[in-house]
Amino acid sequence: MPIIQCTILNNEQPVKFAKEELQKYAEMVPLHTHLSFVLGLDQDFVERGLLKQPIFQADSSIDAFQLMEKECEIYILGSNPRSVLFGVYHACKKLFGYKWVSFLSKEKAECQTHRFEPARIHSGLMKRRGLVVENHDDTAFLLKLIDWAGKHYINELFFTFMLWDKVRGTVEEEIVKRGLSITLGGHSMHYLLNGTALSQKEQVDFTDDSWKSLIINKIKDYDTKESINRISLWPADIGIEGEQHFLARYMEFTEQIQKQLPEMEVEHIAYNAGLSWDMLELPDKLESSKTVNTLFAFWGRNYKQPFFKEERAYEALQKWCHSAKANQMQVTIFEYYSDHFMLGDLFPPLFYRVRDDMELYSSLGIDNMVNLIVPYVPKENANEKDNLYPWESLQLMNSYYFARTAWGDAFEDIEADFYSIFGKKQNEVKKVLSKMESVLSGVSKWNIPLFPQRLIDPEKMESDEKDRFVIADLKNCKKEIETLAGIPNQKIDDPYTMISFYVHYVREKLDEYLVKWNQKKECKR
C-alpha cells in the first residue's frame, strides 16, 4: 500500500490537480507513517454522508478551506475547486515543511507533527488577490509565477490583451487547472483599435461611438465564457486636460461592455494617467457606476509614508468607496509594489508598507487588491551588473508579502517563513532589508516632481532648482546604507547571494546617480 493515499470526491480540474500536487510533494518527503486524504468541496462531503451539513457560506466565489482529521483520514474541504488546491498547499506547509518563498530557495521538506484545528476555517482577508503582468512575455518566468501564485493563494492573473495573445498557448492551461481567475484588459485600447486612424499618441475619444462596437466584438472573440473571468479595459496611458466629462464617458463605455457581456465581471479604472487628476477623482456631480466595479490606481505615491498622507489621492479613494458602497459595487486597490519601472533599480523592499497598507484599506471596507509586476529593463548603456540584476526574485519579495498579507496571515509568521530561507544568515538579512526599506522606499517620492522622468533618469532632464534636493537625498541614502555588507557576485544561485548582490548593486547605483546629478548641476553654471 502506498504511504500516501488520496481520494477525490469530484472531478473538477483544480481538484484533480490538487491530488497530483499532494502526491508529488509528499513523495519528496521521507514518511514513516501512512497518510490518507480525502479532497472535495464541502457539499461533496455532505452528499457522501461524511458531513452532516455544509460548512462554508453559499457564495462559492469566496475562497475558503478547512482541514479536519477524522479517524485515520485528513479531510481537505474547499468552498470552491481552487480552495481545495489551496488547502492541499496548506497541508504541505504544515505537514511537510514546505514554504515556497522564493524562486531561488531550496525546500527543506520533512515530515512534521501537526494537529489541524477542527473548527478553523481558513479564508482570505482580501477576496480578490491578484497579480498584474502587463507586457512581460517571458513564458518561463510566467510559468514559475503561476506555480508560485497558487501556492500562496493568489486567485487572479491579469494580462493585457496583447500579452495574452502572445502567451495564451503556454500559460492558459496552467492557470485554468489551478482554478485561478483570468482578467484581460489594461492599456489595450490602441491594440484593440489597431488598423483604425487613431494615433498611438492620442487619448481615446469616448464621445465617438464609431469604434465601440468594434472593440466589444473583438472582446467577444476571446472565448470569454471558457477561461476569462473579468474585463478591465483602461483608457490609453495618456493624460488629459480640462475634459470634465472624460471619466463619465469612459465609464459609460465600460457599462456598455458589461451590457453586451452579462456573464462577465467588468470594471473601469480610476487612474491618474499623465498625473491627470481628472482621470482619478470622481467629479462632484458624478456618482460611481451601478453596474461596473472600480479599480483605483494612484501612480507616483511616496512609499515611505502611509497612503492617507497622500491627501488628495486619499480623499479621492474615500469618495469612490462611499459612492460604490451606496451603489452596492466594489472598489479594488491597484498597487505598484513590484513595479520596476516606477521604483527603478533603487528598488525597495516594501514589507512594512504592504502590511500597513493592507490594514488601512481593510479599515475602509476594501477587500480587493492587485499588485503590478513590471520587469526591470536595463538602459542602452547597461553594464554587466545591470544585465545580472535579479529583478524577478527581487520583485517576488514584495509579491510574497503582498500574497501572504492579503490572505490574512500574521505578519510575524510571514517574517519567520521569509527569513528562514536565509538559514544562519537570517538575522543579518533581516537587518539589511529593514534598513533598505527604510532608506529606499522614499525614493518613490520623486516620481511626481520629476515626471515623466524618474530619479534614475538624470540624463533625460534639464537642470533646475530641484537638483540640489535630489542630490541631498541621494547623499543621505548613500550614507545610510554604505555600511551594509554586499558582494558583487557573478553567480546568483541562492537567496543570500541575491541579497548580497542587491546591496552591492544599489550602493554602486547611488554612486553613479550622484555623479550624474552633480554633473547635470555643474552644466547649468
Side-chain angles (χ1 to χ4, degrees), residues 6-22:
C6 185
T7 302
I8 58 174
L9 301 183
N10 79 46
N11 288 314
E12 292 272 3
Q13 196 170 358
V15 178
K16 291 193 290 185
F17 182 65
K19 177 180 179 179
E20 294 172 10
E21 291 286 89
L22 178 60

Side-chain angles (χ1 to χ4, degrees), residues 13-242:
Q13 196 170 358
V15 178
K16 291 193 290 185
F17 182 65
K19 177 180 179 179
E20 294 172 10
E21 291 286 89
L22 178 60
Q23 292 173 327
K24 178 174 75 173
Y25 288 110
E27 286 174 1
M28 299 179 187
V29 181
L31 298 177
H32 307 293
T33 184
H34 174 76
L35 292 174
S36 180
F37 295 86
V38 183
L39 316 182
L41 309 184
D42 59 342
Q43 189 62 45
D44 298 329
F45 283 84
V46 173
E47 290 173 0
R48 285 161 178 76
L50 301 175
L51 284 180
K52 291 182 178 180
Q53 60 186 21
I55 59 174
F56 301 120
Q57 299 177 15
D59 185 358
S60 63
S61 68
I62 298 175
D63 298 325
F65 61 82
Q66 185 172 23
L67 285 81
M68 300 179 180
E69 296 180 62
K70 294 285 188 177
E71 298 178 353
C72 297
E73 292 183 315
I74 298 174
Y75 292 175
I76 301 180
L77 307 89
S79 60
N80 53 42
R82 70 169 168 243
S83 291
V84 178
L85 177 63
F86 295 165
V88 162
Y89 289 139
H90 180 78
C92 288
K93 293 169 186 176
K94 298 302 181 183
L95 292 175
F96 310 137
Y98 289 101
K99 291 187 171 59
W100 297 304
V101 173
S102 168
F103 294 152
L104 294 172
S105 55
K106 296 176 176 60
E107 298 298 326
K108 297 179 180 178
E110 58 184 5
C111 194
Q112 301 178 160
T113 301
H114 182 81
R115 303 296 296 182
F116 298 106
E117 300 173 45
R120 183 176 179 186
I121 294 176
H122 301 264
S123 187
L125 172 69
M126 294 287 161
K127 294 178 184 176
R128 179 181 179 186
R129 306 172 302 281
L131 296 177
V132 182
V133 188
E134 286 193 330
N135 285 310
H136 186 53
D137 60 1
D138 181 346
T139 53
F141 166 73
L142 292 174
L143 290 173
K144 286 192 297 183
L145 184 68
I146 292 163
D147 177 67
W148 178 92
K151 290 178 167 69
H152 297 294
Y153 319 148
I154 290 293
N155 61 9
E156 172 195 357
L157 278 301
F158 185 132
F159 303 88
T160 61
F161 282 93
M162 181 171 69
L163 179 58
W164 186 246
D165 286 344
K166 290 180 179 179
V167 305
R168 178 178 185 172
T170 303
V171 306
E172 183 175 26
E173 180 182 352
E174 295 302 314
I175 299 171
V176 170
K177 74 183 183 182
R178 290 168 171 80
L180 310 183
S181 298
I182 299 172
T183 297
L184 293 187
H187 295 300
S188 296
M189 296 294 295
H190 286 103
Y191 178 70
L192 293 174
L193 288 170
N194 186 35
T196 68
L198 181 67
S199 167
Q200 292 285 334
K201 295 182 180 180
E202 293 179 49
Q203 184 53 269
V204 179
D205 180 5
F206 287 98
T207 66
D208 179 3
D209 293 334
S210 64
W211 50 265
K212 293 177 181 175
S213 60
L214 170 66
I215 281 191
I216 293 173
N217 287 332
K218 282 190 174 182
I219 293 173
K220 288 180 178 179
D221 290 339
Y222 276 81
D223 299 330
T224 49
K225 291 183 180 179
E226 295 301 316
S227 59
I228 314 302
N229 308 93
R230 182 183 294 106
I231 299 297
S232 182
L233 185 58
W234 313 338
D237 198 3
I238 300 169
I240 62 170
E241 290 184 16

Side-chain angles (χ1 to χ4, degrees), residues 3 23 83 252 304 316 452 484:
I3 204 155
Q23 292 173 327
S83 291
E252 288 172 3
K304 178 78 170 179
L484 299 181

Side-chain angles (χ1 to χ4, degrees), residues 234-249:
W234 313 338
D237 198 3
I238 300 169
I240 62 170
E241 290 184 16
E243 297 181 48
Q244 295 180 351
H245 301 295
F246 178 87
L247 198 53
R249 300 290 179 264

Side-chain angles (χ1 to χ4, degrees), residues 377-397:
V377 179
K379 296 183 179 181
E380 289 183 5
N381 58 345
N383 60 35
E384 184 180 6
K385 291 191 182 73
D386 293 328
N387 292 318
L388 286 172
Y389 179 72
W391 77 267
E392 293 181 356
S393 294
L394 285 170
Q395 69 78 21
L396 200 71
M397 298 193 305

